[in-house]
Amino acid sequence: MAANVKVMRRPELTFWEKTYLPQILSGLKITSAHFFRNLFLHAAHSVGLLKHIPAAVTFQYPEILRPLAMRFRGRHRLTVRDEGTPRCVGCMLCETVCPAKCITIVAGEHPDPNVEKYPVRFDIDLGVCVYCGYCVEVCPEDAIRMDTGIVDIAAYSRGAMQLDIHELMNPKLRKPLTEQNCTLKFPHECRLTPGHVKGDWNQVYGDTQSAPK
Amino acid sequence: MEDLVIKLVLAGIMFFGVLNLAGLHTWIERKQSAVMQDRIGANRADILGFTVLGLFHPIADAVKMFTKEDIVPEGADRVLHTLAPFFSVFFALVAFAGIPFGDHVVWGDRVIDLQVAKLDAALLYIFAMLSLGVYGVILAGFASRNNYALLGGLRATAQMISYEIALGIAIIGVILVYGTLDLQELVRGQGTYLAGGWIPLWGIVVQPVAFFVFLTAALAETKRVPFDLPEGESEIIGYFVEYSGMKFGMFFLADFLETILVACLTTTLFFGGWQVPYLMPDGFHFPWGATIPLSQWTYVLLGVASFSVKVLAFCWLFMQIRWTLPRFRYDQLMRLGWLGLFPISVVNVFVTALVLTFF
């Protein structure tokens, strides 16, 4: 046997330890201490006392949300300019970088020559999305973010997992959506009214004369 | 005729208490484990917006159990498969007939013992019923035509038979001390006092070793953690793997009933049953000389309350143990039963007998 091998012998239990009783009792001591502490706190909470000391480490989920980390990646949103149009310039970088290929953008011409393009259609299929955050990283315009803090992304069908530009620009919208949910003024492929391109730049900028040239 | 009515009323009281407590055990189990583990526990089931600490969950459970599909596996013995859960519940329930839950009541010229069946050998009767309970388990394993269920049933049988021996021998010490198999007399025997009237002569005082052996063996009889090898819900699957719906619920109920039965037995044998310290039939007689006279009904009700509180305390303890300890390995289980508890209980009987003979 090599000189530096150290043989660890299994420690012999004393008679008292072999009866299991000390360990059982110390275990019961720990659990009972928690039990009576929490019972006392629950009782105090029920009459409105000691509310600042929590009796349970759990959160009552749908009513109380756990605090999320600053960098948590939740449901996406499209950031919005002052006049209510998306900051997105339709550069297709996010659609290109997306490893799950869940983003679909159809770009249109923006009346402002400095902007050039904007998304007529911007869809994200959350059923395919892997929440990697690359779209946020790659965006040169800070147009897409994942900071909504929405974590309960679940649906009964694959179709209901597909977000379009309405839900991306207004994270408060939840399915099912109706035509009344469409508040977008710029021309977009409105999937709430199938097949129609709705909206007009006049509604955004008053009339075409005052629109930025 | 009147005797029958009285017995029916007594049986009704016992059934009402025991079955409700067994139903509540599902709630106690959830809530106690939750509070121990810094959680809240089931609290969502509501009736008209009232949740009452989740107390409606047992009702929701019952509704779920009754409305679930009842599956009998193909090739299973239909009769035995159906009979097994009934056996389990039946023997667990009838055993309660022997438990005295209060002193006798004198009503007119009648003396009514608060015990459903006044048996001279109530203790033997209860142990007989406890032993018969194993039939439900082995039949469930056998009739399911599932090898895992059969193995679970065999594990359960081996465990229950092994621990019944330690259980039976442990109580011989108590029987020797009080000289009776009649549980009512045994409880009355625990109403005397030691050390100038300070220490009540309860079973735990005269037979502490027997108490620990009995408690361990009795916990093993209930087939709950740390002795849940017959069931092993999480991985080794036990004898009721092929049961669903209320048949499964009955095994569950039988488990809780056995826990309550063991709590009743521990109370009766070792903690003075319905005895309240320093309470005599005519009121309190404290060892420092003070007395508080009480009417007969107050005395009896105090006794019943004392019994209930003790049983509840043991139910709490068993639940606490169940949520504290991990499961034994099977060889550890057998070693503890045969090489630990069995010799200790035999030595205890010998020492008790010697002490009783020579002192």
Side-chain angles (χ1 to χ4, degrees), chain A residues 126-159:
Chain A
L126 290 181
V128 179
C129 177
V130 294
Y131 298 92
C132 63
Y134 283 6
C135 48
V136 182
E137 300 269 331
V138 82
C139 184
E141 297 286 323
D142 190 21
I144 185 166
R145 292 189 189 175
M146 296 175 80
D147 61 355
T148 51
I150 296 173
V151 291
D152 52 339
I153 302 158
Y156 285 107
S157 66
R158 290 173 195 276

Side-chain angles (χ1 to χ4, degrees), chain A:
Chain A
M1 192 182 286
N4 57 350
V5 172
K6 194 176 173 189
V7 180
M8 302 293 284
R9 297 239 175 266
R10 184 177 284 252
E12 281 285 313
L13 297 179
T14 63
F15 168 76
W16 187 230
E17 284 167 340
K18 272 183 193 162
T19 61
Y20 300 127
L21 283 177
Q23 293 308 308
I24 292 176
L25 289 180
S26 64
L28 281 176
K29 200 180 116 193
I30 293 172
T31 50
S32 304
H34 274 263
F35 177 82
F36 286 113
R37 173 190 174 273
N38 292 333
L39 195 67
F40 169 75
L41 285 174
H42 280 305
H45 290 181
S46 66
V47 292
L49 294 170
L50 299 174
K51 286 269 191 189
H52 59 284
I53 309 173
V57 295
T58 48
F59 290 84
Q60 294 299 295
Y61 166 61
E63 294 90 25
I64 301 162
L65 297 176
R66 274 185 67 175
L68 296 173
M70 287 287 288
R71 48 192 280 182
F72 180 85
R73 299 195 290 267
R75 207 177 100 173
H76 313 67
R77 75 182 171 99
L78 289 178
T79 49
V80 183
R81 293 176 202 272
D82 291 338
E83 71 267 17
T85 57
R87 288 181 66 89
C88 178
V89 294
C91 69
M92 303 285 187
L93 275 177
C94 52
E95 186 178 332
T96 312
V97 79
C98 181
K101 308 214 181 306
C102 66
I103 304 179
T104 309
I105 303 171
V106 174
E109 197 177 340
H110 198 282
D112 186 346
N114 295 321
V115 178
E116 292 187 3
K117 291 198 290 179
Y118 79 100
V120 178
R121 194 179 143 190
F122 197 116
D123 298 343
I124 294 181
D125 188 348
L126 290 181
V128 179
C129 177
V130 294
Y131 298 92
C132 63
Y134 283 6
C135 48
V136 182
E137 300 269 331
V138 82
C139 184
E141 297 286 323
D142 190 21
I144 185 166
R145 292 189 189 175
M146 296 175 80
D147 61 355
T148 51
I150 296 173
V151 291
D152 52 339
I153 302 158
Y156 285 107
S157 66
R158 290 173 195 276
M161 296 293 282
Q162 290 160 0
L163 304 184
D164 67 358
I165 198 162
H166 301 94
E167 289 147 290
L168 286 169
M169 290 185 67
N170 184 2
K172 289 196 183 102
L173 289 183
R174 288 298 175 94
K175 289 207 161 56
L177 299 179
T178 59
E179 286 182 45
Q180 280 76 44
N181 291 115
C182 180
T183 53
L184 302 179
K185 291 177 181 143
F186 59 89
H188 63 284
E189 217 179 286
C190 190
R191 299 179 77 196
L192 304 180
T193 52
H196 298 299
V197 176
K198 255 178 76 178
D200 191 346
W201 286 110
N202 292 335
Q203 290 175 355
V204 182
Y205 296 114
D207 54 70
T208 42
Q209 271 70 44
S210 63
K213 287 288 182 308

Side-chain angles (χ1 to χ4, degrees), chain A residues 20-21 24 27-28 31-32 34-39 42 55-58 60-63, chain B residues 31-32 34-40 43-44 212 316-317 320-321 323-325 328 332 336:
Chain A
Y20 300 127
L21 283 177
I24 292 176
L28 281 176
T31 50
S32 304
H34 274 263
F35 177 82
F36 286 113
R37 173 190 174 273
N38 292 333
L39 195 67
H42 280 305
V57 295
T58 48
Q60 294 299 295
Y61 166 61
E63 294 90 25
Chain B
K31 277 293 184 187
Q32 188 171 337
V35 174
M36 274 166 67
Q37 297 168 354
D38 298 351
R39 294 185 285 114
I40 299 274
N43 62 349
R44 294 283 158 160
F212 279 106
W316 176 85
L317 179 69
Q320 197 80 7
I321 290 173
W323 285 97
T324 302
L325 299 181
F328 277 101
Q332 290 174 328
L336 179 71

Side-chain angles (χ1 to χ4, degrees), chain B residues 87-111:
Chain B
F87 266 28
S88 275
V89 171
F90 177 77
F91 289 123
L93 269 180
V94 288
F96 282 98
I99 303 278
F101 57 92
D103 203 354
H104 55 69
V105 181
V106 182
W107 189 32
D109 54 350
R110 248 172 226 288
V111 178

Side-chain angles (χ1 to χ4, degrees), chain B residues 6-338:
Chain B
I6 289 168
K7 285 293 172 198
L8 278 177
V9 169
L10 285 178
I13 294 172
M14 198 72 187
F15 258 36
F16 181 80
V18 166
L19 283 176
N20 274 311
L21 188 54
L24 270 181
H25 255 70
T26 59
W27 177 78
I28 298 173
E29 174 138 50
R30 282 173 172 168
K31 277 293 184 187
Q32 188 171 337
S33 62
V35 174
M36 274 166 67
Q37 297 168 354
D38 298 351
R39 294 185 285 114
I40 299 274
N43 62 349
R44 294 283 158 160
D46 67 288
I47 294 178
L48 302 174
F50 292 98
T51 55
V52 203
L53 297 170
L55 265 174
F56 294 130
H57 276 271
I59 300 172
D61 272 345
V63 172
K64 181 195 79 175
M65 291 285 191
F66 275 113
T67 51
K68 259 174 110 167
E69 187 188 357
D70 173 40
I71 299 167
V72 179
E74 203 177 330
D77 190 323
R78 288 194 79 89
V79 178
L80 290 183
H81 187 268
T82 313
L83 212 56
F86 288 88
F87 266 28
S88 275
V89 171
F90 177 77
F91 289 123
L93 269 180
V94 288
F96 282 98
I99 303 278
F101 57 92
D103 203 354
H104 55 69
V105 181
V106 182
W107 189 32
D109 54 350
R110 248 172 226 288
V111 178
I112 304 163
D113 264 302
L114 293 185
Q115 185 184 14
V116 177
K118 188 162 168 43
L119 298 166
D120 291 337
L123 199 50
L124 292 185
Y125 163 77
I126 290 174
F127 276 89
M129 291 303 131
L130 258 180
S131 307
L132 283 171
V134 80
Y135 274 97
V137 173
I138 185 73
L139 277 182
F142 170 72
S144 297
R145 201 173 179 194
N146 176 326
N147 290 339
Y148 294 105
L150 183 60
L151 283 174
L154 291 177
R155 278 200 305 273
T157 318
Q159 174 181 328
M160 289 178 82
I161 289 175
S162 304
Y163 277 78
E164 226 146 60
I165 292 167
L167 195 69
I169 298 177
I171 55 162
I172 291 179
V174 184
I175 299 169
L176 282 174
V177 170
Y178 297 106
T180 176
L181 283 171
D182 186 340
L183 283 177
Q184 189 70 279
E185 287 305 314
L186 203 145
V187 173
R188 288 215 182 91
Q190 300 184 46
T192 50
Y193 293 88
L194 281 177
W198 282 93
I199 303 171
L201 193 69
W202 286 358
I204 177 92
V205 178
V206 285
Q207 290 283 320
V209 178
F211 170 69
F212 279 106
V213 174
F214 178 86
L215 198 68
T216 317
L219 274 177
E221 285 289 298
T222 60
K223 307 189 287 293
R224 283 163 65 73
V225 187
F227 300 100
D228 70 330
L229 294 117
E231 296 167 17
E233 290 128 345
S234 46
E235 60 291 276
I236 52 177
I237 55 176
Y239 55 91
F240 50 50
V241 67
E242 292 291 358
Y243 282 87
S244 58
M246 199 54 208
K247 283 186 196 162
F248 169 77
M250 284 170 86
F251 279 120
F252 220 73
L253 188 69
D255 254 23
F256 288 133
L257 285 174
E258 275 175 5
T259 314
I260 300 168
L261 181 66
V262 164
C264 287
L265 269 181
T266 319
T267 307
T268 310
L269 293 174
F270 295 99
F271 277 81
W274 40 259
Q275 297 277 3
V276 184
Y278 316 126
L279 182 66
M280 311 289 170
D282 56 345
F284 281 105
H285 291 266
F286 293 110
W288 57 88
T291 53
I292 304 171
L294 291 172
S295 72
Q296 189 216 339
W297 283 105
T298 327
Y299 162 70
V300 170
L301 285 179
L302 270 177
V304 175
S306 155
F307 181 77
S308 315
V309 167
K310 286 172 193 171
V311 168
L312 284 177
F314 272 107
C315 287
W316 176 85
L317 179 69
F318 293 158
M319 204 59 95
Q320 197 80 7
I321 290 173
R322 184 248 175 277
W323 285 97
T324 302
L325 299 181
R327 183 190 301 150
F328 277 101
R329 220 167 51 214
Y330 207 71
D331 61 316
Q332 290 174 328
L333 175 93
M334 283 296 156
R335 181 163 298 150
L336 179 71
W338 288 106

